[in-house]
Amino acid sequence: MGLSSRHLVSNRLRALLVSTVALGLLAASGCASGDSSQASSSTDGGTTASTPAASSSAAPSSKPPSPAEVGANELGRIPILMYHRITPEPKSVYDRTPEEFRAELRRLAEENYVPITAADYAAGRIDTPAGTHPVVLTFDDASTSQFRLDSSGEPAANTAVAIMREVAAQHPGFRATASFYITTPPFGGNDVARSLRWLHEHGFELGNHTLDHPTLSSESPSEVRHQIAGLRRRITEAVPDAEVSTIALPHGVHPDREELARSGESEGVRYEHDAVLLVGARPAPAPFTRRFDPLNVPRIRSQGGSGESAKFGSTVWLDKLAANPAARYTSDGDPDVISYPSDSSRKPAKRYAERAESYRPRE
Ligand SMILES: [Zn+2]
């Protein structure tokens, strides 16, 4: 009881902070560090009960656990899960039922995963508590099964957003946050501005999935720029302070000039992405490693353990990560330090070298 109510309060504080930041009331440099330290200190208390470290440590008010105690590995892999429709009647391998989605979120919560956005992943802003594992939940195509507001202004029952909030309320430490890759019309086309603002104000990322969802390799460079800049304009007209710093490629296909997905300009709108997301088919490298390639960030399709290409799906990959915890990203609880075991085969990228600290793993 105490834990969950405390967590609710800390979630509200965080939401308030995020919206304060969103309103631009704080200076840019101050809010970035203020937000992450506030978020990590406020969520630590609420989630230690479910972290592996806490079960073996003594006083709850003692120092944060050392990287060795929690087996921190901030060069490990991060699953970026890809969802399309959440529907009682799946029509393809891309659809999942509300029950399947709820069960997958519960599994993630029970295995100490904490959702972050793709924007935070790509920018290396990972503020999850010590001993937990970041996961990114992504939704393509902006369908009404993912999000719509009901007549009382709340997310409609059994939408992805409603289910995420329900699971977060039941699992202290699990966050209802995700990245939505928007195309037109967003969420059925009704009340678009209000819907996009609601998502932004509740900590969900608004990402780019182009205006008309074309296969970008079939389009001219100017049409590619128009498709991406045009969608960005649609988002920022509704939510002027939206960051729009990541894109998911329609059908996972790059334009012929791949860098056009990363940055460009059309009709006076400039776009610049920290990450370009693909469709398949493995966990993503930590953003702090040399393997991180902003033009090719892999995702994993949400899927059960059997059926078409299940070996590339989420159930099989989550099983593999659970069986091989050393390969997985485990947080040290300090967003400023990148901790990794000295026997790691991965090395930090140059631009993160100053923040990286290796430690001697326990036998
Ligand atoms: Zn799509």
Side-chain angles (χ1 to χ4, degrees):
M1 280 303 281
L3 272 181
S4 60
S5 61
R6 192 168 149 204
H7 183 70
L8 275 177
V9 170
S10 73
N11 259 356
R12 284 205 195 99
L13 266 176
R14 186 175 153 74
L16 187 67
L17 235 137
V18 169
S19 55
T20 311
V21 171
L23 285 167
L25 296 177
L26 299 172
S29 59
C31 71
S33 57
D35 185 31
S36 59
S37 60
Q38 177 72 27
S40 65
S41 62
S42 62
T43 47
D44 270 355
T47 53
T48 43
S50 60
T51 65
S55 51
S56 58
S57 70
S61 59
S62 63
K63 279 199 330 181
S66 71
E69 264 177 277
V70 296
N73 179 12
E74 296 182 310
L75 302 181
R77 301 209 273 178
I78 298 175
I80 301 180
L81 303 189
M82 176 182 70
Y83 299 94
H84 285 76
R85 297 190 313 152
I86 304 298
T87 167
E89 290 166 7
K91 293 216 165 55
S92 84
V93 73
Y94 290 95
D95 293 341
R96 303 228 71 191
T97 67
E99 293 71 31
E100 288 167 341
F101 180 57
R102 193 177 282 113
E104 184 152 89
L105 294 186
R106 286 189 181 139
R107 173 185 184 170
L108 291 170
E110 281 156 15
E111 295 184 9
N112 287 317
Y113 283 99
V114 177
I116 62 172
T117 63
D120 285 343
Y121 158 80
R125 292 186 299 252
I126 301 184
D127 65 350
T128 48
T132 65
H133 319 290
V135 61
V136 181
L137 310 176
T138 68
F139 294 85
D140 287 12
D141 305 342
S143 76
T144 52
S145 74
Q146 295 167 1
F147 177 63
R148 63 182 188 278
L149 293 170
D150 65 17
S151 53
S152 63
E154 289 295 306
N158 272 341
T159 56
V161 169
I163 294 169
M164 281 188 273
R165 281 155 63 91
E166 176 193 311
V167 172
Q170 290 162 353
H171 295 265
F174 197 77
R175 300 174 187 166
T177 193
S179 301
F180 285 91
Y181 290 98
I182 311 289
T183 185
T184 43
F187 308 112
N190 299 319
D191 238 351
V192 169
R194 184 160 159 251
S195 296
L196 296 180
R197 275 200 300 269
W198 192 100
L199 287 171
H200 178 70
E201 284 163 8
H202 289 80
F204 293 92
E205 175 183 6
L206 302 172
N208 201 319
H209 201 41
T210 74
L211 273 176
D212 304 312
H213 207 278
T215 303
L216 293 176
S217 60
S218 312
E219 304 296 340
S220 67
S222 71
E223 180 62 16
V224 169
R225 287 189 286 257
H226 166 70
Q227 284 289 328
I228 300 173
L231 196 280
R232 180 188 172 86
R233 184 198 294 274
R234 291 292 297 267
I235 294 178
T236 54
E237 273 172 1
V239 188
D241 55 345
E243 200 182 8
V244 201
S245 63
T246 67
I247 183 171
L249 296 169
H251 314 291
V253 177
H254 278 106
D256 283 348
R257 282 163 58 189
E258 295 194 358
E259 63 280 8
L260 281 185
R262 182 104 192 263
S263 59
E265 186 172 348
S266 179
E267 295 135 56
V269 176
R270 170 138 198 97
Y271 59 89
E272 189 92 49
H273 298 133
D274 292 337
V276 178
L277 276 61
L278 307 175
V279 163
R282 70 189 78 84
F288 310 121
T289 68
R290 293 172 194 173
R291 289 185 186 214
F292 174 72
D293 173 3
L295 270 177
N296 292 284
V297 174
R299 292 189 289 172
I300 299 169
R301 182 169 67 196
S302 175
Q303 190 175 357
S306 60
E308 186 190 335
S309 309
K311 66 176 175 179
F312 302 119
S314 58
T315 301
V316 171
W317 270 117
L318 291 174
D319 288 348
K320 284 188 189 174
L321 290 168
N324 185 13
R328 182 165 59 173
Y329 189 112
T330 298
S331 286
D332 65 3
D334 181 347
D336 298 326
V337 175
I338 299 160
S339 296
Y340 64 101
S342 52
D343 59 1
S344 167
S345 58
R346 303 276 156 77
K347 295 291 170 246
K350 257 197 196 121
R351 68 190 184 111
Y352 288 111
E354 283 190 3
R355 286 170 52 192
E357 285 178 18
S358 69
Y359 67 89
R360 235 180 104 200
R362 292 189 168 174
E363 295 298 306

